[in-house]
Amino acid sequence: MDHRGPEFGILTKSILERVKLVFQTRGPVIIYPSSGTGAWEAAMMNLFVPGDKVLAFETGHFATIWKNVAEKLGLQVEWVSGDWRHGIDPAQVLEKLREDKGQKIKGIMAVHNETSNGITSDLKAIREAIDQAGHPALFLVDVVSSLGTTDFRQDEWGVDVAICASQKGFMMPPGLGFNALSQKAIQESKTQNNLHSYWQWDRIIEMNERGYYPYTPASGLFFGLDEALTMLLEEGLDQAFARHKLYARACRQAAIHWGLENQCLNEDEYSDSTTALRVPEDADADVLRTLILERFNMSLGTGLGRLKKKVFRIGHLGDFNELMLMATLSGVEMGLELAGIPHNKGGAQAAMEVLVGAQLS
Amino acid sequence: MDHRGPEFGILTKSILERVKLVFQTRGPVIIYPSSGTGAWEAAMMNLFVPGDKVLAFETGHFATIWKNVAEKLGLQVEWVSGDWRHGIDPAQVLEKLREDKGQKIKGIMAVHNETSNGITSDLKAIREAIDQAGHPALFLVDVVSSLGTTDFRQDEWGVDVAICASQKGFMMPPGLGFNALSQKAIQESKTQNNLHSYWQWDRIIEMNERGYYPYTPASGLFFGLDEALTMLLEEGLDQAFARHKLYARACRQAAIHWGLENQCLNEDEYSDSTTALRVPEDADADVLRTLILERFNMSLGTGLGRLKKKVFRIGHLGDFNELMLMATLSGVEMGLELAGIPHNKGGAQAAMEVLVGAQLS
Amino acid sequence: MDHRGPEFGILTKSILERVKLVFQTRGPVIIYPSSGTGAWEAAMMNLFVPGDKVLAFETGHFATIWKNVAEKLGLQVEWVSGDWRHGIDPAQVLEKLREDKGQKIKGIMAVHNETSNGITSDLKAIREAIDQAGHPALFLVDVVSSLGTTDFRQDEWGVDVAICASQKGFMMPPGLGFNALSQKAIQESKTQNNLHSYWQWDRIIEMNERGYYPYTPASGLFFGLDEALTMLLEEGLDQAFARHKLYARACRQAAIHWGLENQCLNEDEYSDSTTALRVPEDADADVLRTLILERFNMSLGTGLGRLKKKVFRIGHLGDFNELMLMATLSGVEMGLELAGIPHNKGGAQAAMEVLVGAQLS
Amino acid sequence: MDHRGPEFGILTKSILERVKLVFQTRGPVIIYPSSGTGAWEAAMMNLFVPGDKVLAFETGHFATIWKNVAEKLGLQVEWVSGDWRHGIDPAQVLEKLREDKGQKIKGIMAVHNETSNGITSDLKAIREAIDQAGHPALFLVDVVSSLGTTDFRQDEWGVDVAICASQKGFMMPPGLGFNALSQKAIQESKTQNNLHSYWQWDRIIEMNERGYYPYTPASGLFFGLDEALTMLLEEGLDQAFARHKLYARACRQAAIHWGLENQCLNEDEYSDSTTALRVPEDADADVLRTLILERFNMSLGTGLGRLKKKVFRIGHLGDFNELMLMATLSGVEMGLELAGIPHNKGGAQAAMEVLVGAQLS
């Protein structure tokens, strides 16, 4: 299919309309041939110039590397340190913004769901803190691993840029990065004067009107995205969210039974997409992961950054169902035994009871 | 690819050589565009004429419909009745053949693995009984659900025609039927004068020499068969057999724990491909199956023939691994609870211990 | 997908309804896992017993091998010899049937489109001849290479069994054989007592009512057939027929220009699916074909049976368009020159003018 | 496949080794999830800072938009204007560099093959001009539509960054951008202090050592790239170049016969990948293109930038063969007639004679 031809234009326009429903926004959604990190850079390149100040929170590995990207772009990051076991504290947001008398903070950067440790921050409460502080900063949110799995309401929660990628909730291969934009973000980008081209929103928005792009889009992946949108919208977002919430709950029940500690300490912040479990101090999570990969051909998520060897991560998102969860938890339970990691047997069994209970209720 | 062109000829010859390794034979293997029932008919059409006598054993549903096919072809079937819970008794084979003073019995028909009830007959012992009786009957075996999962040695066990299909151990879509032939079978077919054409071995053997067929082969499926052979031979037959044996054992452990009765009563005859479990008298296995299909999108095997509503069947063969087995057993265990069928929880857990034990040993 | 499950039943019923539209019949259509030759055998096995007399016409290679199959089945074939350059002469049909005072002829077997030489017989005229003779014989027609490309009206033309396969007009891989049945054929089959099982219509018709089969259907190919039917019916049969007629006409114009003789001598009988062209006496069509395959990676049809080395065949059917025809004809024209076969250049050019003319009219 | 797992690491290392052979370099090749325009930006971001001076040549549309990107990045572009009908004049390169007494020019940007007008610049001669001037500027070359189709020798010709994308000579869907690097480019990038992150070579080179990426790579496309490399290296680069040269020559012969003017005026600069043909003054190339798309389902390249409506483009690269070229040219010739554009019939025929001639020689 010719990416400058009429059929591709029709496909693109259909995708761009429907993808808004997933972000729960009426604003435009930019789709880049890029990774999720590219989509971060895009958002910052369009909104900030070197020296601009942004407020960011150390909720985990991805928040940290986003901060690093911001610093490479020359931004001055006000970094609220954290223990990688809690989400963003809205009270701290309020405090930091109130301290910012001169309103130097141009942007607030939050990771909705930290895939690295299975912690979800409460965006609605953060929005309320921003409003309470009466602060005009832009609100940028990484929804890479939450979109399509966890309720996210861009317009209602006043998110200015929602940053996403294709390989999680869209159930696709990687290769597409997303920026969903508020009108405020679009306006702000027009006043900015950064020296870049590839990420420029305005040219893309303009050409998207007719269904085209100022660059060669990753058209092969557009067919996948078209199908992913059909699947998500057929299931219904609410149903998809409920489904992920159930899998996460069952997974945690297994962990409780095994006696493995959840990396997330605040139960209001448990992730519906991923659960990160800590192995005992004297165990190595990567030894466990390698063993499970070799013996059962199952790839668990590795501990990232400072969690290396300390946690392993169970993804329970996307094109996933009850029996895939049971296969996953059974693989973990067998791996724990083979690796000699102390645990109580019966975690998978405990998860099964959660799943059955949900069917019965 | 042109099925009369040189590339297809090369592919066919490579397939025909390697498929012999799976049957453990040096004889030719005929591949039909047909179902497995077609491959039965083929074997009988090439070897017998109406009025010929064959000896067959009621081991289950497939043995019964094979008998029906034989009768439709005009054969006189000496039918050794059975309870669908045991395999073929070699002592009975010996007895029947000894009774056949005039050696009227031209063929002995055995189902190696009865998919319908998870019972495997001991072909080696049957061969020994035939030899002990000094009877010249041809030995025809249905290996549809055993080939590639359970040790089958055509030449060593003196099997004259092994009948198979593509959709079980070859891990393929249905559409191909197989007849693997001994020299004795080929000789016998030449003396026979049945009026048929499609199934005729001699024309096919002759054209296969150059890699072609006297009809249009189902060439699309040949690519799948090529890949299946590569996979099976890379894994190694012995390793594949051991793997299936383990899954079957773990599955039975789950059943024991649940308190569900195995349809197979003789533990030496448990199938490595499929396990058929009986539901309690007042339960309906098809209600359970439908519930599991609707709730967990998993399709279990239905009870066939006289086992309808009485058993459900768990297939654990082909492109299958430990975690798929755990998913399957978890789905069954959840289904039992949702269907209100009395059982002890923990069957999946019990299977897991078998699987872990095998890794540890 | 479980071939005994509800989804497959729905798919099958939808296929069985829509496939009737392509045969232009209201009767049932049987689909076998088989080749087209299997579907021939099926029709004869259901209708005739050894010794029955059938009338058949030597229109080419496929008619001849169909006759051979009939003879292998023990039928007595009244064989009207021919020169492989003409279709069936309706006057001869009339004559043969009038000679059959005792109405011993039970069936008339006609190949609608002889793929081997590109000759189409006039079924409507043959029907009229049968009617004129007042003869009760069943009318069996091979529509393997005409269905979906050339107007075929089973009910209107009183065809009792239309025999087809998946790999031509259905644009699919081989592996499915078809028997479309009149009520008269179904009735007749019930009175017949042939000894066979696989091909039996009655059991299949009965199980098809609910969307299932008495054997394991080649379910993978059913998805392709579903798509093929959608494509054919979306295009519309009339449009598909007109499209094939145009390609055939353009192809013949190229041949006329090249100075190659059409194997078909009667212009009313030119095939819309395939054109068979004769090479000069001292040339070898297979040398030409091999050269074109090696140099241009294009596989032309070989001369079959007595036409071996004398003709090559150009298929212009199925998922085919103007530019594919031009590619094909260009490959032929280049091959003729490389093979040193005398011809006038410009045949492809001449075909192009036919195609443009059709667009302009 | 887990992009942080061992299998992906092995795949990536194999790709990164083999892709060097295609660039004819020993230096590292960076692969981005991006379009080709992203790969341009990457090269400039790593080497230049705002205010840096680069020399660029107006060879056509892509050279012009590359210049635009450079200006958006704040570079000062010395723009050598052109008529879009000639490649880069090496004498002008020499002159411009000699004029640059202070050696302010940091980079020279050349498009190897201008897809927009079918013009190839002589990189070897440009390199010689640079050497003759004794100028230290970096040499950046866009090989998007030449790599794999036209001889390109990064090391021998002293190219510092070769910029490519997946969708042309690699015969893949779009979504990957490439930077092949000289040691000089790598050294230079280390001294540069641009504020960016996504495009940074050093982090990628470092992680590539072990087969990984600092971002989520577009792993799905890596499988395609693996296959593309296998195909290209099996055919052999020289054979691939000769093949493309032949197709281009045949295509031009058609154009000469039709009487359509080639957009490229210098026969030494004809592209082997694409041919751009001018329609007569009073015709509209886009009307022609639309007609051909609608009637024959063939998508020709549109006239880009100032060539809009004036030219149409025939791509003859990648997974392409003689018969596809003949289909293409036949479609063009039929389209010319249907659109009423004056031309001499027989262009496709003329191309065929070139192709046959090549086979005969």
Side-chain angles (χ1 to χ4, degrees):
Chain A
M1 195 186 280
D2 175 12
H3 70 88
R4 291 193 186 89
E7 278 186 82
F8 188 76
I10 290 164
L11 174 67
T12 297
K13 287 207 276 191
S14 162
I15 284 173
L16 293 178
E17 267 321 297
R18 289 178 297 147
V19 78
K20 290 178 185 178
L21 303 176
V22 181
F23 283 95
Q24 302 192 42
T25 185
R26 278 171 303 183
V29 179
I30 307 287
I31 306 178
Y32 297 104
S34 79
S35 67
T37 51
W40 281 345
E41 185 154 334
M44 295 186 284
M45 279 288 203
N46 276 282
L47 293 174
F48 309 131
V49 291
D52 276 355
K53 189 168 178 180
V54 294
L55 177 64
F57 304 86
E58 187 187 11
T59 48
H61 180 70
F62 286 101
T64 304
I65 61 171
W66 192 2
K67 182 202 76 168
N68 295 343
V69 172
E71 288 177 347
K72 284 190 180 169
L73 301 187
L75 307 191
Q76 184 188 343
V77 182
E78 168 126 19
W79 183 236
V80 181
S81 64
D83 64 358
W84 293 38
R85 306 195 68 172
H86 293 83
I88 298 169
D89 180 356
Q92 266 190 315
V93 176
L94 180 59
E95 185 190 324
K96 288 292 174 187
L97 294 179
R98 281 188 171 153
E99 283 171 17
D100 181 35
K101 303 296 184 199
Q103 301 194 333
K104 296 282 187 191
I105 293 171
K106 284 202 62 183
I108 300 165
M109 305 187 334
V111 174
H112 189 196
N113 180 68
E114 259 289 352
T115 326
S116 63
N117 48 19
I119 297 173
T120 302
S121 287
D122 184 344
L123 298 177
K124 183 162 178 281
I126 296 169
R127 175 78 259 169
E128 287 163 359
I130 301 169
D131 290 347
Q132 207 178 332
H135 198 287
L138 292 155
F139 189 20
L140 281 70
V141 178
D142 170 321
V143 296
V144 169
S145 63
S146 62
L147 197 81
T149 73
T150 306
D151 198 8
F152 171 73
R153 309 180 180 195
Q154 173 148 13
D155 288 1
E156 189 178 325
W157 297 343
V159 172
D160 293 301
V161 189
I163 294 145
C164 199
S166 50
Q167 73 270 21
K168 304 279 181 192
F170 284 122
M171 307 164 281
M172 286 175 59
L176 297 181
F178 297 81
N179 277 187
L181 309 179
S182 72
Q183 287 306 316
K184 184 177 166 187
I186 295 171
Q187 287 311 315
E188 184 64 24
S189 73
K190 290 181 178 165
T191 69
Q192 183 266 32
N193 224 348
N194 231 337
L195 296 169
H196 66 105
S197 167
Y198 189 65
W199 309 115
Q200 272 192 309
W201 292 338
D202 49 4
R203 296 183 313 144
I204 300 171
I205 292 171
E206 188 192 323
M207 288 200 68
N208 276 182
E209 297 286 323
R210 283 161 293 141
Y212 302 104
Y213 282 90
Y215 43 75
T216 305
S219 51
L221 294 170
F222 275 51
F223 298 102
L225 181 55
D226 183 48
E227 184 61 26
L229 289 169
T230 300
M231 287 168 67
L232 260 177
L233 298 172
E234 261 179 21
E235 179 177 14
L237 290 179
D238 286 346
Q239 174 55 27
F241 300 153
R243 187 166 55 83
H244 284 89
K245 197 171 281 299
L246 172 64
Y247 301 159
R249 187 153 61 85
C251 182
R252 290 193 303 270
Q253 199 59 39
I256 289 168
H257 191 98
W258 290 326
L260 293 189
E261 195 182 342
N262 196 317
Q263 175 65 16
C264 177
L265 288 176
N266 178 355
E267 65 180 29
D268 293 337
E269 295 174 334
Y270 287 143
S271 164
D272 292 341
S273 308
T274 324
T275 299
L277 299 178
R278 296 179 70 87
V279 294
E281 284 304 312
D282 54 352
D284 180 333
D286 279 347
V287 169
L288 174 67
R289 289 178 55 254
T290 300
L291 183 154
I292 292 173
L293 179 59
E294 287 171 3
R295 301 294 179 91
F296 304 116
N297 196 25
M298 176 170 76
S299 184
L300 293 168
T302 189
L304 293 166
R306 69 160 75 159
L307 299 181
K308 189 162 176 58
K309 296 174 184 295
K310 291 187 168 48
V311 310
F312 65 91
R313 295 175 298 132
I314 299 171
H316 29 71
L317 80 168
D319 187 11
F320 203 79
N321 63 26
E322 279 87 349
L323 301 192
M324 290 160 87
L325 178 63
M326 289 312 304
T328 306
L329 296 176
S330 300
V332 171
E333 185 158 338
M334 291 194 283
L336 289 169
E337 180 151 0
L338 293 174
I341 293 178
H343 68 288
N344 301 311
K345 289 181 187 180
Q349 175 76 28
M352 201 163 14
E353 289 178 24
V354 172
L355 296 176
V356 167
Q359 293 278 349
L360 288 171
S361 69
Chain B
M1 195 184 281
D2 176 10
H3 69 89
R4 291 193 186 89
E7 278 186 82
F8 188 76
I10 291 165
L11 174 66
T12 297
K13 286 207 277 191
S14 162
I15 284 174
L16 292 177
E17 266 321 297
R18 289 177 296 146
V19 78
K20 290 177 184 178
L21 303 176
V22 181
F23 283 95
Q24 302 192 42
T25 186
R26 277 170 302 182
V29 180
I30 308 286
I31 306 178
Y32 298 103
S34 79
S35 66
T37 51
W40 283 343
E41 185 153 336
M44 294 187 285
M45 279 287 203
N46 276 282
L47 293 174
F48 309 132
V49 291
D52 277 355
K53 189 169 177 179
V54 294
L55 176 64
F57 304 86
E58 186 187 10
T59 49
H61 181 70
F62 287 100
T64 304
I65 61 173
W66 192 3
K67 183 203 72 168
N68 295 343
V69 171
E71 288 176 347
K72 284 190 179 167
L73 302 187
L75 306 191
Q76 185 188 343
V77 182
E78 168 127 18
W79 183 234
V80 181
S81 65
D83 64 357
W84 293 37
R85 307 196 67 172
H86 293 83
I88 298 168
D89 180 357
Q92 266 190 316
V93 176
L94 180 59
E95 185 189 325
K96 289 290 174 188
L97 294 179
R98 281 187 169 154
E99 284 170 17
D100 180 35
K101 303 295 184 200
Q103 300 194 334
K104 297 280 187 191
I105 293 172
K106 285 202 59 182
I108 300 165
M109 305 189 332
V111 174
H112 189 195
N113 181 67
E114 260 288 352
T115 326
S116 64
N117 48 19
I119 296 173
T120 302
S121 288
D122 184 343
L123 298 177
K124 184 163 177 279
I126 296 169
R127 175 77 259 168
E128 288 163 359
I130 301 168
D131 290 347
Q132 207 178 332
H135 198 289
L138 292 155
F139 189 19
L140 281 68
V141 178
D142 169 322
V143 296
V144 169
S145 63
S146 62
L147 198 81
T149 74
T150 306
D151 198 8
F152 171 73
R153 308 179 181 195
Q154 173 146 13
D155 287 0
E156 188 177 327
W157 298 343
V159 172
D160 293 301
V161 189
I163 294 145
C164 198
S166 50
Q167 73 270 22
K168 304 278 183 195
F170 285 123
M171 307 163 280
M172 287 176 58
L176 298 181
F178 298 80
N179 275 187
L181 309 178
S182 73
Q183 287 307 316
K184 183 176 168 190
I186 295 171
Q187 287 311 313
E188 184 64 24
S189 73
K190 290 180 177 167
T191 70
Q192 182 268 32
N193 223 347
N194 231 337
L195 296 169
H196 65 106
S197 168
Y198 189 65
W199 310 115
Q200 273 192 307
W201 292 338
D202 49 3
R203 296 184 312 143
I204 300 173
I205 291 171
E206 187 192 324
M207 288 200 67
N208 276 183
E209 296 287 321
R210 284 162 292 142
Y212 303 103
Y213 282 90
Y215 43 75
T216 305
S219 50
L221 294 171
F222 274 52
F223 299 102
L225 181 55
D226 182 50
E227 182 62 26
L229 289 170
T230 300
M231 285 169 67
L232 260 176
L233 298 173
E234 262 180 20
E235 179 177 13
L237 290 179
D238 286 346
Q239 174 54 28
F241 300 153
R243 187 166 55 82
H244 284 89
K245 197 171 283 296
L246 172 64
Y247 301 159
R249 186 156 60 86
C251 182
R252 290 194 302 271
Q253 200 58 40
I256 289 168
H257 191 99
W258 290 326
L260 293 188
E261 194 181 343
N262 197 317
Q263 175 65 17
C264 178
L265 289 176
N266 178 354
E267 65 181 28
D268 292 337
E269 296 175 333
Y270 287 142
S271 163
D272 292 340
S273 308
T274 323
T275 299
L277 299 178
R278 296 179 69 87
V279 294
E281 284 303 312
D282 54 351
D284 180 333
D286 280 346
V287 168
L288 174 68
R289 287 178 56 254
T290 302
L291 183 152
I292 291 172
L293 179 59
E294 287 172 2
R295 300 294 179 90
F296 303 117
N297 196 26
M298 177 168 78
S299 185
L300 292 168
T302 188
L304 294 166
R306 69 161 74 159
L307 299 181
K308 189 161 175 62
K309 296 175 184 293
K310 291 188 167 47
V311 310
F312 65 92
R313 295 175 297 132
I314 299 171
H316 29 71
L317 80 168
D319 187 13
F320 203 78
N321 62 26
E322 279 88 347
L323 301 192
M324 289 159 87
L325 178 63
M326 289 312 305
T328 306
L329 297 175
S330 301
V332 171
E333 185 158 338
M334 291 193 283
L336 289 169
E337 180 152 359
L338 293 174
I341 293 178
H343 69 289
N344 301 311
K345 288 182 188 179
Q349 175 76 29
M352 203 166 9
E353 288 178 24
V354 173
L355 297 175
V356 167
Q359 292 279 348
L360 288 171
S361 69
Chain C
M1 194 186 280
D2 175 12
H3 68 90
R4 290 193 186 90
E7 278 185 83
F8 188 76
I10 290 164
L11 174 67
T12 297
K13 286 207 277 190
S14 162
I15 285 173
L16 292 177
E17 267 321 297
R18 289 178 296 146
V19 78
K20 291 177 184 178
L21 303 176
V22 181
F23 283 95
Q24 302 192 41
T25 185
R26 277 170 303 183
V29 179
I30 308 286
I31 306 178
Y32 297 104
S34 80
S35 66
T37 51
W40 282 344
E41 184 152 336
M44 294 186 285
M45 279 288 203
N46 276 281
L47 293 174
F48 308 131
V49 291
D52 277 354
K53 189 170 179 179
V54 293
L55 176 64
F57 304 86
E58 187 188 10
T59 50
H61 180 72
F62 286 101
T64 304
I65 60 171
W66 191 4
K67 182 203 74 167
N68 294 343
V69 171
E71 288 176 347
K72 285 192 178 168
L73 301 187
L75 306 191
Q76 185 187 343
V77 182
E78 168 127 18
W79 183 234
V80 181
S81 65
D83 63 359
W84 293 40
R85 307 196 67 173
H86 294 83
I88 298 168
D89 180 357
Q92 266 191 314
V93 176
L94 180 58
E95 184 190 325
K96 289 290 174 187
L97 294 178
R98 281 187 171 155
E99 285 170 16
D100 181 36
K101 304 295 183 199
Q103 300 195 333
K104 296 281 186 189
I105 292 172
K106 285 202 60 184
I108 300 165
M109 305 189 331
V111 174
H112 189 196
N113 181 67
E114 260 289 353
T115 326
S116 63
N117 48 17
I119 297 173
T120 301
S121 288
D122 184 343
L123 298 177
K124 184 163 177 282
I126 296 169
R127 175 77 261 168
E128 287 164 359
I130 301 168
D131 291 346
Q132 207 178 332
H135 198 288
L138 292 155
F139 189 19
L140 281 69
V141 178
D142 169 322
V143 296
V144 170
S145 63
S146 62
L147 198 80
T149 74
T150 305
D151 198 9
F152 171 73
R153 306 179 182 196
Q154 172 146 14
D155 288 1
E156 188 177 326
W157 298 343
V159 172
D160 293 302
V161 190
I163 294 146
C164 198
S166 49
Q167 73 270 22
K168 304 277 183 195
F170 285 123
M171 307 163 281
M172 286 177 58
L176 298 181
F178 298 80
N179 275 188
L181 310 178
S182 73
Q183 287 307 316
K184 183 177 167 188
I186 295 170
Q187 287 311 314
E188 184 63 25
S189 73
K190 289 180 179 168
T191 70
Q192 184 267 32
N193 223 348
N194 231 337
L195 296 169
H196 65 107
S197 167
Y198 189 64
W199 309 114
Q200 273 192 308
W201 292 338
D202 50 2
R203 295 184 314 143
I204 300 173
I205 291 171
E206 187 192 325
M207 287 199 68
N208 276 183
E209 296 287 322
R210 284 162 291 141
Y212 303 102
Y213 282 90
Y215 43 74
T216 304
S219 51
L221 294 171
F222 275 51
F223 298 102
L225 181 55
D226 182 49
E227 183 62 25
L229 289 169
T230 300
M231 285 168 68
L232 260 177
L233 297 172
E234 261 180 20
E235 179 177 13
L237 290 179
D238 286 346
Q239 174 55 27
F241 300 154
R243 187 166 55 83
H244 284 88
K245 198 171 282 297
L246 172 64
Y247 301 159
R249 186 156 59 85
C251 181
R252 291 193 302 271
Q253 199 59 40
I256 289 168
H257 191 99
W258 290 326
L260 293 188
E261 194 181 344
N262 197 317
Q263 175 66 16
C264 178
L265 289 176
N266 178 355
E267 66 181 28
D268 292 337
E269 296 174 333
Y270 287 143
S271 165
D272 292 340
S273 308
T274 322
T275 299
L277 299 178
R278 296 179 69 86
V279 294
E281 284 304 312
D282 54 352
D284 179 333
D286 280 347
V287 168
L288 174 68
R289 287 179 55 253
T290 301
L291 184 153
I292 291 173
L293 179 59
E294 287 171 2
R295 300 295 178 90
F296 303 117
N297 196 25
M298 177 169 77
S299 185
L300 292 168
T302 189
L304 293 166
R306 68 160 76 161
L307 300 181
K308 189 161 175 62
K309 296 176 184 293
K310 291 186 168 48
V311 309
F312 65 91
R313 295 174 299 131
I314 298 172
H316 29 71
L317 80 169
D319 187 12
F320 203 78
N321 62 27
E322 279 88 349
L323 301 192
M324 289 159 87
L325 178 63
M326 290 311 305
T328 306
L329 297 176
S330 301
V332 171
E333 185 158 337
M334 292 193 282
L336 289 169
E337 181 152 359
L338 293 174
I341 293 178
H343 68 289
N344 301 312
K345 288 182 188 180
Q349 175 76 28
M352 203 165 10
E353 288 178 24
V354 173
L355 297 175
V356 167
Q359 292 278 349
L360 287 172
S361 69
Chain D
M1 194 185 281
D2 175 10
H3 69 88
R4 291 193 186 89
E7 277 186 82
F8 188 76
I10 291 164
L11 174 67
T12 298
K13 286 207 277 191
S14 162
I15 285 174
L16 292 178
E17 266 322 297
R18 289 178 296 147
V19 78
K20 290 178 185 178
L21 303 176
V22 181
F23 283 95
Q24 302 192 42
T25 186
R26 277 171 302 182
V29 179
I30 307 287
I31 306 178
Y32 298 104
S34 80
S35 67
T37 51
W40 282 343
E41 184 153 335
M44 295 186 283
M45 278 288 203
N46 276 281
L47 292 175
F48 308 131
V49 291
D52 277 355
K53 190 168 176 179
V54 294
L55 177 64
F57 304 86
E58 186 188 10
T59 48
H61 181 69
F62 287 101
T64 304
I65 61 171
W66 192 2
K67 182 202 75 167
N68 295 343
V69 171
E71 288 177 347
K72 283 191 180 169
L73 301 187
L75 307 191
Q76 185 188 342
V77 182
E78 168 128 17
W79 183 235
V80 181
S81 64
D83 64 358
W84 294 38
R85 306 195 69 173
H86 293 83
I88 298 169
D89 180 356
Q92 265 191 315
V93 176
L94 180 59
E95 184 189 326
K96 287 292 175 187
L97 294 179
R98 282 189 169 153
E99 283 171 18
D100 181 35
K101 303 295 185 200
Q103 301 194 332
K104 296 283 187 190
I105 292 172
K106 285 202 61 184
I108 300 166
M109 305 189 331
V111 174
H112 189 196
N113 180 67
E114 260 289 352
T115 326
S116 64
N117 48 19
I119 297 173
T120 301
S121 288
D122 184 344
L123 297 177
K124 182 163 179 282
I126 296 170
R127 175 76 259 168
E128 287 164 0
I130 301 169
D131 290 346
Q132 206 178 333
H135 198 289
L138 293 154
F139 189 20
L140 282 68
V141 177
D142 170 322
V143 297
V144 169
S145 63
S146 62
L147 198 82
T149 73
T150 306
D151 198 8
F152 171 73
R153 308 179 180 194
Q154 173 147 12
D155 289 0
E156 187 177 326
W157 297 343
V159 172
D160 293 301
V161 190
I163 295 145
C164 199
S166 50
Q167 73 271 20
K168 304 279 182 192
F170 285 123
M171 307 163 282
M172 286 174 60
L176 298 180
F178 297 80
N179 276 186
L181 308 179
S182 73
Q183 287 307 316
K184 183 176 167 188
I186 295 171
Q187 286 312 315
E188 184 64 24
S189 74
K190 289 180 178 166
T191 69
Q192 182 265 33
N193 223 347
N194 230 337
L195 296 169
H196 65 105
S197 167
Y198 188 64
W199 309 114
Q200 273 192 307
W201 292 338
D202 49 3
R203 295 183 314 143
I204 300 172
I205 291 171
E206 187 192 325
M207 288 199 67
N208 276 182
E209 296 287 322
R210 283 161 293 141
Y212 303 102
Y213 282 90
Y215 43 75
T216 305
S219 50
L221 294 170
F222 274 52
F223 299 102
L225 182 55
D226 183 49
E227 184 62 25
L229 289 169
T230 300
M231 287 168 67
L232 260 177
L233 298 172
E234 262 180 20
E235 179 177 13
L237 290 179
D238 286 346
Q239 173 56 27
F241 300 154
R243 187 166 54 83
H244 284 88
K245 196 171 282 299
L246 172 65
Y247 300 159
R249 187 154 60 86
C251 182
R252 290 194 302 271
Q253 199 59 39
I256 289 168
H257 191 99
W258 290 327
L260 293 188
E261 195 182 342
N262 197 315
Q263 175 65 17
C264 177
L265 289 176
N266 178 354
E267 65 180 29
D268 292 337
E269 296 174 333
Y270 288 142
S271 163
D272 292 340
S273 309
T274 323
T275 300
L277 299 177
R278 297 179 69 86
V279 294
E281 283 304 312
D282 54 351
D284 180 332
D286 280 347
V287 168
L288 173 67
R289 289 179 54 254
T290 301
L291 184 153
I292 291 172
L293 178 60
E294 287 171 3
R295 299 293 179 91
F296 303 116
N297 197 25
M298 176 169 77
S299 185
L300 293 168
T302 189
L304 294 166
R306 68 161 75 159
L307 300 181
K308 189 163 177 58
K309 296 174 184 296
K310 292 187 167 47
V311 310
F312 64 91
R313 294 175 299 132
I314 299 172
H316 30 70
L317 80 168
D319 187 12
F320 203 79
N321 62 26
E322 279 87 348
L323 301 192
M324 290 160 86
L325 178 63
M326 289 311 305
T328 306
L329 297 176
S330 300
V332 171
E333 184 158 338
M334 291 194 282
L336 289 169
E337 179 151 359
L338 292 174
I341 293 178
H343 67 289
N344 301 312
K345 288 182 189 181
Q349 176 75 29
M352 202 164 11
E353 289 179 23
V354 172
L355 297 175
V356 167
Q359 293 278 348
L360 288 171
S361 69

